[in-house]
C-alpha cells in the first residue's frame, strides 16, 4: 500500500479473497461492469440532463487521459471539493482510472481545513467549484496555491480564474483525446481518502482501497435492497462516505440503479423531485428529516414510489421514525457507521421493536464487533461499553498518523469507535459518544436517551443535550432546543413533561437554552463541542456578573 498506510495482515487479506469478499476489481471496473450490462440506462439525472452509464464511463475515461497527459500519476494525491453535480462523478472515476487518490473534502470546508488536507496529503491538485452562493472557491484556491508548495494545478467546475484550468474544456467530447496509455491499477491499493468526523480537531485522512470500498458499497447496498429499480435522491454531499458508498451512489452504480442529484435540501426542492423522478430511496440525516416532517410540502406530493428514507450521522429518535412511516408511508432505515469502516444497517424486514429502537447490525457477517469496559474487557450483552471493530473493510490505520493510530487501534487491529453502545446479539443500540455521557456526580446520563424524550414534546422542533460544568456535581445536563414557530417552553414545563414519562430525576436537564439553529459540521452533524463551549462561556459570564454585583452590595 501507499507509504504511510497500514495494510491488513496477509492472512486476513488472503482469507477475504478466498471468501469472495475482496473481488480484486477496482471501483472503476465495478462501474464498467454495470455499463456493459446497461449501457443506455440513465445512471445520473441532474436537472433536465440524463446521463447514461456508457456516458459516465466514456466521459470519465476521456478526462482520465487528459489528466494523465498533464502529468498526474498513480499514487499522486489531489483534494477534491466539488458539489453535487455531474462533474463530481466524472472527476471521481477519472482519478480512480489513473490511480490518482482523491481526498474527499466537503463544500463547507474552508481555508484552514483545505490547507491541512493539502499539506498533510502532499496534494498536487485541487478541484473546486466556481462559486457556491456567496463564496468564491477560486479565490481560496489561489491563496492556497501560494501557501502549499506541492499544489501545482487548480481545476474549476465553472469559469476559471487566470492560471486555473476549467474542467469543461477537459470534458469536451468534440476535442481530440490524447492517446495516453492508462496504467493498470492494483485493487489492493488506496483508491481514495475520506475524512474523519473532525468535530473536535482537524479531520484525519482515512485511506480506503478499491477492494475494501467495493465491498463497503455492495454490502451496504444489499442491506438497503438496492437494485436496478432503485432511484436514489442524493441530497447530502457526495464526498461524504454516507452518500458516496454507504450505500450511496456507488451501491446504486454497482447494482444498476439511478441517482438523481438534488440542487438543495429544503422540502420545497426535495419532495417535488421525489414525485417527478419516482424516487425510491433518500439518504438523509436527523436535521433534514426533522425539518421535512414539520413541513407542509410532503403532504402535497405523490410519495407512492418512496420505499426508504435512511438516517445516518446521529441516531433518529423512535418518535421520528414512527412519524416517517406514518406521514410518508415508507420505512425509516437507521444507518450507523463510520468512514473508517464498519457500517450497521437495520434490515428492512427487522421486527418492529428493532426498526424503531436499534442502530442496526453489521452489513458483513465477517465484521467483528466487541463492546468493552474502560479496561478493555468485553461486557455482557445489554450492558453499555465502547464499541471496537475490525473486518474486511475497516481500516487498520489513518494515513501518516502513527501517534493517532497507537491510540485509535488496539494491538490486535481493532478500531476504537469512541461510541458507547449496548449489544444484543449482532444488533447495536447507540447511546452516544463517550464524551456525550454526562457524569453528574457519578451518575451517568445518556444525552441520546434524554433527547429522544424531549423530542416528543409538541413545542420542540429539535434538541441537543450536553454537559455543562458544575462546581458541586462536576457536570449537569443542559438542553439546547429549537422550538416550533410561536411556541414557548420553560424549564419547569419541560421537567414536568419528562417526569410524566417516568425518567429518573437525576437525568432531568437543569438548564434550558432555546436556540434558533444548531451549529453543524460540514457533514451535517450537530457540533456538540460548540454547544458545550457556549454554555460554559455563558456560565462563566454569569458567575463573573454575580461576583461584580456582590462587590457592589454594601
Amino acid at each position: 500500500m501507499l507509504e504511510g498506510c497500514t495494510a491488513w495482515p496477509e492472512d486476513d487479506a488472503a482469507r477475504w479473497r478466498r471468501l469472495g469478499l475482496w473481488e480484486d476489481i477496482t471501483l472503476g471496473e465495478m462501474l464498467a461492469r454495470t455499463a456493459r450490462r446497461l449501457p443506455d440506462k440513465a445512471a445520473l439525472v441532474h436537472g433536465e440532463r440524463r446521463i447514461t452509464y456508457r456516458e459516465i464511463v466514456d466521459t470519465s475515461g476521456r478526462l482520465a487521459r487528459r489528466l494523465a497527459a498533464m502529468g498526474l500519476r498513480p499514487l499522486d494525491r489531489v483534494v477534491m471539493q466539488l458539489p453535487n453535480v455531474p462533474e463530481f462523478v466524472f472527476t471521481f472515476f477519472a482519478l480512480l482510472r489513473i490511480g490518482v487518490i482523491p481526498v474527499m473534502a466537503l463544500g463547507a470546508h474552508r481555508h484552514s481545513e483545505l490547507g491541512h488536507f493539502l499539506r498533510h496529503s502532499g496534494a498536487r491538485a485541487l478541484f473546486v467549484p466556481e462559486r457556491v452562493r456567496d463564496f468564491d472557491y477560486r479565490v481560496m484556491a489561489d491563496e492556497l496555491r501560494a501557501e502549499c508548495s506541492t499544489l501545482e494545478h487548480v481545476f474549476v467546475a465553472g469559469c476559471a480564474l487566470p492560471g486555473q484550468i476549467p474542467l469543461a474544456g477537459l470534458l469536451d467530447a468534440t476535442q481530440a483525446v490524447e492517446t495516453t496509455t492508462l496504467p493498470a491499477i492494483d485493487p489492493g491499493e488506496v483508491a481514495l481518502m475520506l475524512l474523519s468526523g473532525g468535530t473536535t480537531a482537524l479531520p484525519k485522512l482515512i485511506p480506503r482501497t478499491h477492494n475494501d470500498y467495493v465491498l463497503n458499497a455492495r454490502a451496504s447496498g444489499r442491506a438497503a435492497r438496492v437494485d436496478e429499480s432503485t432511484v436514489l435522491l442524493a441530497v447530502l454531499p457526495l464526498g461524504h462516505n454516507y452518500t458516496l458508498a454507504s450505500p450511496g451512489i456507488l451501491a446504486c452504480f454497482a447494482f444498476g440503479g439511478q441517482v438523481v442529484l438534488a440542487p438543495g435540501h429544503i422540502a420545497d426542492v426535495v419532495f417535488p423531485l421525489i414525485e417527478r423522478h419516482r424516487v425510491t430511496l433518500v439518504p438523509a440525516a436527523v436535521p433534514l428529516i426533522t425539518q421535512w416532517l414539520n413541513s407542509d410540502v410532503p403532504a402535497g406530493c405523490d410519495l407512492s414510489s418512496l420505499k426508504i428514507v435512511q438516517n445516518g450521522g446521529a441516531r433518529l429518535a423512535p418518535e421520528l421514525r414512527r412519524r416517517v412511516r406514518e406521514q410518508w408511508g415508507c420505512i425509516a432505515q437507521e444507518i450507523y457507521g463510520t468512514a473508517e469502516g464498519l457500517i450497521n444497517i437495520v434490515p428492512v424486514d427487522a421486527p418492529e421493536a428493532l426498526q424503531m429502537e436499534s442502530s442496526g447490525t453489521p452489513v458483513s457477517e465477517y465484521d467483528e464487533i466487541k463492546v468493552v469496559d474502560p479496561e478493555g474487557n468485553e461486557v455482557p450483552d445489554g450492558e453499555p461499553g465502547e464499541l471496537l471493530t475490525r473486518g474486511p473493510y475497516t481500516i487498520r490505520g489513518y494515513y501518516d498518523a502513527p501517534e493517532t493510530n497507537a491510540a485509535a487501534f488496539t494491538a490486535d487491529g481493532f478500531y476504537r469507535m469512541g461510541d458507547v453502545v449496548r449489544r444484543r446479539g449482532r444488533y447495536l443500540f447507540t447511546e452516544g459518544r463517550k464524551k456525550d455521557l454526562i457524569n453528574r456526580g457519578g451518575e451517568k446520563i445518556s444525552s441520546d436517551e434524554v433527547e429522544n424524550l424531549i423530542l416528543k414534546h409538541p413545542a420542540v422542533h429539535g434538541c441537543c443535550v450536553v454537559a455543562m460544568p458544575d462546581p458541586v456535581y462536576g457536570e449537569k445536563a443542559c438542553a439546547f432546543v429549537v422550538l416550533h414557530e410561536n411556541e414557548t417552553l420553560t424549564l419547569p414545563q419541560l421537567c414536568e413533561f419528562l417526569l410524566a414519562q417516568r425518567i429518573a430525576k437525576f437525568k432531568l436537564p437543569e438548564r434550558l437554552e432555546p436556540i434558533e439553529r444548531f451549529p453543524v459540521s460540514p457533514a451535517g452533524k450537530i457540533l456538540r463541542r460548540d454547544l458545550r463551549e457556549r454554555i460554559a462561556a455563558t456560565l462563566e459570564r454569569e458567575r463573573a456578573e454575580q461576583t461584580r454585583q456582590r462587590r457592589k452590595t454594601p
Side-chain angles (χ1 to χ4, degrees), residues 201-410:
L202 286 171
K204 300 174 285 292
L205 303 186
I206 302 168
R208 304 297 298 264
T209 67
H210 292 273
N211 269 330
D212 84 74
Y213 217 50
V214 167
L215 172 60
N216 190 115
R218 286 197 193 277
S220 298
R222 284 190 288 268
R225 296 196 175 174
V226 175
D227 59 22
E228 288 184 26
S229 70
T230 297
V231 181
L232 181 147
L233 184 65
V235 177
L236 295 168
L238 294 180
H240 192 276
N241 180 54
Y242 176 37
T243 322
L244 187 60
S246 302
I249 66 170
L250 292 185
C252 247
F253 294 153
F255 291 101
Q258 182 181 100
V259 174
V260 178
L261 301 179
H265 55 69
I266 62 173
D268 301 82
V269 171
V270 168
F271 287 88
L273 285 174
I274 292 173
E275 176 178 349
R276 177 184 178 189
H277 296 289
R278 306 299 295 160
V279 168
T280 64
L281 176 63
V282 182
V286 174
L288 295 183
I289 293 173
T290 304
Q291 292 170 22
W292 297 343
L293 285 171
N294 290 290
S295 167
D296 296 330
V297 173
C301 295
D302 177 3
L303 305 183
S304 58
S305 65
L306 191 58
K307 296 179 179 179
I308 297 174
V309 171
Q310 295 174 328
N311 173 68
R315 184 172 182 266
L316 188 67
E319 179 69 17
L320 298 181
R321 298 188 204 188
R322 291 188 183 93
R323 288 180 61 190
V324 166
R325 185 171 61 187
E326 292 166 2
Q327 292 179 216
W328 304 336
C330 66
I331 293 171
Q333 185 175 55
E334 190 75 0
I335 298 182
Y336 159 61
T338 177
E340 285 83 353
L342 178 69
I343 303 296
N344 304 273
I345 298 180
V346 179
V348 296
D349 56 358
E352 171 79 2
L354 294 174
Q355 283 200 29
M356 291 297 108
E357 302 284 347
S358 84
S359 297
T361 184
V363 297
S364 170
E365 62 180 300
Y366 296 96
D367 285 318
E368 298 179 70
I369 53 175
K370 296 197 298 186
V371 181
V372 302
D373 63 20
E375 286 71 46
N377 303 308
E378 288 196 66
V379 301
D381 265 22
E383 294 295 317
E386 182 183 6
L387 177 60
L388 275 59
T389 185
R390 69 181 180 187
Y393 61 94
T394 296
I395 65 168
R396 291 301 183 99
Y398 294 105
Y399 173 65
D400 196 21
E403 292 183 6
T404 300
N405 289 340
F409 296 85
T410 65

Side-chain angles (χ1 to χ4, degrees), residues 17-95:
R17 287 188 171 93
R18 187 171 64 252
L19 290 168
L21 301 173
W22 284 8
E23 300 178 51
D24 275 328
I25 64 169
T26 66
L27 290 160
E29 176 57 23
M30 183 182 75
L31 172 72
R33 288 182 178 184
T34 303
R36 288 193 289 271
R37 184 165 54 89
L38 302 166
D40 298 318
K41 179 176 180 178
L44 195 62
V45 177
H46 183 242
E48 300 302 317
R49 187 177 179 189
R50 299 175 66 83
I51 301 166
T52 66
Y53 276 99
R54 178 191 285 118
E55 188 177 349
I56 292 178
V57 171
D58 290 349
T59 304
S60 60
R62 184 164 57 247
L63 179 58
R65 285 180 167 78
R66 287 170 175 163
L67 292 174
M70 296 180 68
L72 290 181
R73 296 287 180 263
L75 301 187
D76 281 347
R77 276 79 67 199
V78 303
V79 173
M80 184 171 154
Q81 190 186 32
L82 294 176
N84 290 13
V85 292
E87 287 86 348
F88 178 103
V89 176
F90 300 146
T91 301
F92 180 74
F93 282 107
L95 294 170

